[in-house]
Amino acid sequence: MEKYSNILDEIPKKCKECNSEKIEYWDETEEEIIFRCLNCKIFYTFSLNREKLLIFFKY
């Protein structure tokens, strides 16, 4: 859980697209953790390695 401590503060309380408060954990890889809005299905990706730049495409 230590590796997530800095990410927990960054998770939005409301979706930036639809303003919904229903954001949940969706998945994770070795490099990132992913949350998703239950309303509009947009993904929020957070890098576990802050030195690596993530590129995110909305679809």
Side-chain angles (χ1 to χ4, degrees):
M1 193 67 168
E2 262 181 46
K3 66 181 181 178
Y4 302 129
S5 62
N6 59 344
I7 293 172
L8 294 176
D9 294 335
E10 296 181 33
I11 300 167
K13 303 295 184 229
K14 289 187 177 183
C15 177
K16 295 176 183 175
E17 292 291 316
C18 69
N19 213 26
S20 171
E21 293 181 0
K22 297 179 181 177
I23 296 175
E24 70 172 4
Y25 170 84
W26 188 70
D27 197 10
E28 71 181 83
T29 66
E30 290 180 15
E31 298 179 353
E32 62 191 12
I33 185 167
I34 306 164
F35 290 83
R36 182 180 72 152
C37 174
L38 295 175
N39 190 40
C40 70
K41 309 296 189 236
I42 192 171
F43 293 95
Y44 293 94
T45 306
F46 300 95
S47 175
L48 295 174
N49 179 359
R50 295 301 180 175
E51 296 177 4
K52 185 173 183 180
L53 177 64
L54 291 178
I55 300 174
F56 173 72
F57 297 96
K58 179 181 169 187
Y59 51 94

